[in-house]
Amino acid sequence: MDRRQSVIGSQNPWSRRFMVAAIVQGAGIVALTAALVIGSIFFMKPDVARVIAAGGVGTWFTFGYLIYIAVGVIGVAVSALFYHLLGPIKTSNVLGWMHLVLMNAGTTAAAGMMMFVGYIGGAAALPQTVGGKGLPTPQVHEIIAPYVEPIGASILVILIGVLAGGAGYLVATRRLAREDKGMSRDF
């Protein structure tokens, strides 16, 4: 494949920005995974695997981890592909920045909080014999309750970013259609 046809070498700067963001998010999940594995082996008590295996609140950890990969890495990379498909067509800088910043920040915040809450809540519910606190369910819910609304707000931030990107894509494709008909008009 010719370098000019690759996503990284795209004529659309938004394609490059989103691909760089996907690479950064991918590096982030690799670093987090390494830290979790090393921490679980050497110093995290209870270890993450035990919290996940116990179920309950620990499943929030798993969900946050998978959301980070699906939206933060894969979703951002797919966004790069959409911008790449536009080629040199000018897209809205405001909508592009909203898409990039809000999608990445919202995903990192929401997934990070879900993983944190899943770990601390799951660890609090585990018995003391395996490094947990042995707390009953109502007390575990008191620990995680303050995070529910911020996680929801972070998800709304992601949605606003994605909607901004979709709007920018529609504006750009409409502009392309007008240019094809010889009726170019700048927005």
Side-chain angles (χ1 to χ4, degrees):
M1 177 180 274
D2 185 347
R3 175 174 150 58
R4 290 171 295 192
Q5 293 175 339
S6 73
V7 174
I8 297 293
S10 174
Q11 295 176 354
N12 191 312
W14 289 106
S15 179
R16 290 190 302 273
R17 290 175 185 138
F18 273 86
M19 189 50 67
V20 168
I23 291 167
V24 169
Q25 293 283 33
I29 198 69
V30 167
L32 175 65
T33 302
L36 291 171
V37 170
I38 292 167
S40 289
I41 292 170
F42 294 108
F43 57 86
M44 287 179 80
K45 298 296 177 223
D47 62 281
V48 174
R50 192 175 299 270
V51 169
I52 293 169
V57 179
T59 58
W60 283 37
F61 182 90
T62 304
F63 189 70
Y65 186 85
L66 294 174
I67 288 299
Y68 189 86
I69 293 170
V71 179
V73 180
I74 298 169
V76 172
V78 169
S79 295
L81 180 62
F82 282 120
Y83 284 105
H84 175 71
L85 294 174
L86 290 174
I89 303 304
K90 184 175 167 60
T91 57
S92 167
N93 279 330
V94 171
L95 294 174
W97 281 114
M98 285 178 66
H99 185 193
L100 181 68
V101 172
L102 296 179
M103 183 178 185
N104 281 281
T107 301
T108 301
M113 283 188 279
M114 281 189 268
M115 287 185 276
F116 178 73
V117 168
Y119 179 77
I120 64 168
L126 284 173
Q128 292 177 337
T129 56
V130 295
K133 294 184 179 179
L135 298 179
T137 302
Q139 283 183 295
V140 172
H141 283 211
E142 287 177 23
I143 294 170
I144 66 170
Y147 295 92
V148 173
E149 288 180 10
I151 290 170
S154 298
I155 292 169
L156 285 176
V157 168
I158 297 167
L159 293 175
I160 292 168
V162 170
L163 290 173
Y169 189 81
L170 290 175
V171 167
T173 55
R174 289 190 70 204
R175 181 179 294 140
L176 177 61
R178 274 198 282 287
E179 288 175 3
D180 286 346
K181 292 179 182 179
M183 299 183 293
S184 178
R185 188 173 95 192
D186 282 350
F187 285 79

